[in-house]
């Protein structure tokens, strides 16, 4: 584990090295929050119903704020580097060293999250405290469940994008594909708006798909939308999808190595 600890610390250093890029990425999260807050306030102000799409105004505003924060915490970015390693032969150095490539990417990914977490955590506490002051019923158990689900969401999102990154073994250049997939997955995860607002078939479908467990599930725990029965079921789905994508990543990695030309590097 010592080598992975070094990789983790390297990830922290890399995140702090490009401070301007880091600050700009944090500031970029402000604009979606402003846009969504304005949109939802306008929608509720022009509606006679106390709740729209099953969400009260306070719930949807809290959702918009927390969903953007959770999306920032679980977001990736290493899949482009994986593509370069596969295409340019940079993967060679990981194959001959005593370190597992998925473990290397995972611990570096976690290390890069630490500076972001240090900035986001106080903001999240303030938002939740304000929501409690406005009447949100919150307990220590619900906060603990939220934190556990958030940790599992980070692992799940990493594994999803690791599998996406492994597509580089089968495609010559997938940078543009990564951008498209990223946008689609952010929407499906509930990072833009809660997917259960569609109700019926789509709500049931999203409960079975893995993407909502990367953002929407965690937010709705703290938002009070889920009772404890649904929270327990959600944890089972979240854990199950983590196991599924871990196995899928292992299979893709083994098969991809058989196609890898090891040119360059």
């Amino acid at each position: 584990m010592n080598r992975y600890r070094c990789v983790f610390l390297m990830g922290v250093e890399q995140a702090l090295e490009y401070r301007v890029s880091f600050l700009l990425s944090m500031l970029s999260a402000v604009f979606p929050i402003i846009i969504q807050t304005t949109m939802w306030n306008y929608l509720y102000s022009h509606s006679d119903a106390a709740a729209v799409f099953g969400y009260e105004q306070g719930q949807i505003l809290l959702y918009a704020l927390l969903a953007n924060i959770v999306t920032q915490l679980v977001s990736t970015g290493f899949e482009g580097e994986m593509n370069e390693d596969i295409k340019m032969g940079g993967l060679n150095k990981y194959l001959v060293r005593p370190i597992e490539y998925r473990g290397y990417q995972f611990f570096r990914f976690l290390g890069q999250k630490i500076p972001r977490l240090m900035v986001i955590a106080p903001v999240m506490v303030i938002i939740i405290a304000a929501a409690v002051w406005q009447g949100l019923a919150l307990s220590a158990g619900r906060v603990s469940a939220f934190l556990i689900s958030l940790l599992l969401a980070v692992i799940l999102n990493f594994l999803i994008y690791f599998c996406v990154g492994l597509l580089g073994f089968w495609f010559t250049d997938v940078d543009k594909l990564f951008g498209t997939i990223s946008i689609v997955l952010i929407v499906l995860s509930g990072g833009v708006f809660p997917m259960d607002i569609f109700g019926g078939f789509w709500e049931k479908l999203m409960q079975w798909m893995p993407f909502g467990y990367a953002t929407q599930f965690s937010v709705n725990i703290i938002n009070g939308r889920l009772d404890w029965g649904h929270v327990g079921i959600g944890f089972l789905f979240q854990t199950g999808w983590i196991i599924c994508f871990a196995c899928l990543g292992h299979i893709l990695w083994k098969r991809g190595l058989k196609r890898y030309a090891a040119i360059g590097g």
Side-chain angles (χ1 to χ4, degrees):
M1 289 300 296
N2 186 56
R3 64 177 73 99
Y4 292 111
R5 181 180 63 85
C6 294
V7 172
F8 175 83
L9 294 175
M10 183 179 67
V12 177
E13 293 175 359
Q14 287 178 339
L16 294 174
E17 182 178 0
Y18 301 100
R19 289 182 289 272
V20 174
S21 176
F22 171 75
L23 291 174
L24 289 176
S25 67
M26 295 302 298
L27 288 174
S28 66
V30 175
F31 296 103
I33 291 175
I34 294 174
I35 293 171
Q36 289 184 55
T37 302
T38 303
M39 179 192 71
W40 289 117
N41 278 327
Y42 177 83
L43 182 61
Y44 276 83
S45 66
H46 288 74
S47 174
D48 296 330
V52 180
F53 303 120
Y55 284 79
E56 296 178 0
Q57 185 172 5
Q59 285 182 320
I60 199 68
L61 291 177
L62 179 61
Y63 183 95
L65 293 170
L66 292 181
N68 277 277
I69 290 176
V70 171
T71 299
Q72 286 288 317
L73 287 175
V74 305
S75 62
T76 62
F78 59 83
E79 59 274 10
E81 181 183 327
M82 288 179 61
N83 181 49
E84 286 296 315
D85 286 341
I86 294 170
K87 184 174 66 173
M88 305 302 295
L91 193 60
N92 296 350
K93 59 180 177 286
Y94 301 103
L95 298 178
V96 298
R97 292 176 181 174
I99 189 168
E100 200 260 336
Y101 187 67
R102 182 168 60 181
Y104 166 81
Q105 290 291 359
F106 178 67
F107 281 95
R108 193 166 68 96
F109 166 71
L110 289 183
Q112 291 173 341
K113 292 299 172 186
I114 297 301
R116 192 176 297 268
L117 180 62
M118 293 172 64
V119 175
I120 287 177
V123 177
M124 184 180 293
V125 171
I126 293 172
I127 292 173
I128 294 175
V132 171
W133 184 67
Q134 291 291 328
L136 175 67
L138 199 61
S139 64
R142 194 165 285 274
V143 172
S144 299
F146 167 73
L147 294 176
I148 294 172
S149 71
L150 186 58
L151 175 61
L152 294 176
V154 169
I155 297 172
L156 175 60
N157 212 48
F158 167 82
L159 291 171
I160 290 174
Y161 278 90
F162 184 78
C163 291
V164 171
L166 292 176
L167 294 177
F169 282 120
W170 286 270
F171 297 93
T172 304
D173 195 347
V174 287
D175 281 340
K176 299 297 187 296
L177 178 62
F178 286 158
T180 303
I181 292 176
S182 179
I183 293 173
V184 172
L185 292 185
I186 288 174
V187 173
L188 291 179
S189 70
V192 179
F193 49 81
M195 295 300 294
D196 55 2
I197 64 176
F198 297 107
F201 169 78
W202 292 107
E203 182 179 1
K204 294 294 183 183
L205 178 63
M206 294 310 300
Q207 289 176 358
W208 285 92
M209 295 180 68
F211 312 114
Y213 296 100
T215 299
Q216 181 172 306
F217 174 63
S218 299
V219 176
N220 277 341
I221 289 177
I222 204 75
N223 206 16
R225 289 274 299 174
L226 301 176
D227 57 36
W228 286 111
H230 286 93
V231 171
I233 293 172
F235 276 133
L236 290 177
F237 272 101
Q238 210 172 22
T239 305
W241 280 117
I242 286 174
I243 295 173
C244 286
F245 278 102
C247 294
L248 177 61
H250 180 74
I251 294 171
L252 291 176
W253 172 258
K254 291 297 184 180
R255 294 189 177 182
L257 286 180
K258 296 178 180 179
R259 300 175 56 89
Y260 180 56
I263 299 173

